[in-house]
Amino acid sequence: MRWVEVVLIAAGLSMDTFAVAIATGTAKGVVAPRQTLLMAAVFGAVHVLMILAGWAGGETLLNFISGVDHWIAFLLLSFVGLKMLWEARHPPGERTSADSFEPKQLALLAVATSLDALATGLSFSFLNIAIVPAALIVGAAAFSFTAAGLYAGMRCGKLLAQRAEALGGLMLVAIGIKILAEH
């Protein structure tokens, strides 16, 4: 897998954070720079941790499933991507509370938006990806997309949230198909 694909995966994984940040920016109306930095840093850090946790879990299983690893990577990325597409078409109501910057709420949102990164980290272990740079790319993307989403939410409103999640889902499914086709 080339690094451009890792960047595309990172962008796809960050669409959940982008959608939540847009909803937060829309709900708040005005978000202070300190709050933007806090939310972006938490979301980015949790994405890094989830990628690493998924990768660590996959490394322990690698010897047992090396013959079907490409199928597992395809299925995981496709599952995550299709889930994101479904959620974009069937939003579960308001994704954020009135105070998304309260520590408990912020932690819950960060974990909820990074569960896809856990599965992706698992697939990275099957694909023999250099995990530290990949995790940092994913974390940087989550940080950037969160900050951009807060700004966009303050400016553009709720319309963007569903489209961003759908785009992220399509990207992950496409990369899963490419992995399967190249193997």
Side-chain angles (χ1 to χ4, degrees):
M1 179 177 283
R2 290 169 283 174
W3 288 106
V4 69
E5 293 166 331
V6 173
V7 170
L8 291 174
I9 288 171
L13 290 172
S14 297
M15 291 301 170
D16 278 349
T17 65
F18 188 63
V20 167
I22 287 173
T24 301
T26 300
K28 288 282 193 187
V30 176
V31 179
R34 184 180 68 70
Q35 291 175 310
T36 299
L37 183 60
L38 173 66
M39 186 176 207
V42 170
F43 278 33
V46 172
H47 267 72
V48 168
L49 293 174
M50 290 294 222
I51 286 283
L52 292 173
W55 176 82
E59 284 296 300
T60 61
L61 298 173
L62 191 57
N63 291 333
F64 300 109
I65 56 176
S66 61
V68 294
D69 57 354
H70 58 287
W71 281 100
I72 293 171
F74 163 74
L75 291 172
L76 287 172
L77 289 171
S78 294
F79 173 76
V80 169
L82 291 172
K83 179 176 133 315
M84 289 172 68
L85 284 169
W86 187 86
E87 287 174 353
R89 300 269 305 149
H90 304 90
E94 196 63 40
R95 292 179 183 226
T96 60
S97 73
D99 192 6
S100 299
F101 299 101
E102 184 256 306
K104 182 179 177 182
Q105 182 71 15
L106 189 58
L108 288 173
L109 287 172
V111 170
T113 59
S114 65
L115 289 175
D116 301 345
L118 184 68
T120 302
L122 180 65
S123 69
F124 279 178
S125 70
F126 302 146
L127 298 171
N128 227 6
I129 300 283
I131 194 59
V132 172
L136 292 175
I137 289 169
V138 169
F143 179 95
S144 301
F145 277 68
T146 302
L150 283 168
Y151 180 78
M154 290 187 296
R155 300 288 180 250
C156 301
K158 296 179 181 180
L159 178 62
L160 292 177
Q162 290 177 328
R163 291 184 180 170
E165 193 164 30
L167 177 61
L170 286 173
M171 289 171 63
L172 292 179
V173 170
I175 291 168
I177 291 169
K178 184 180 183 298
I179 288 168
L180 189 61
E182 285 181 349
H183 191 77

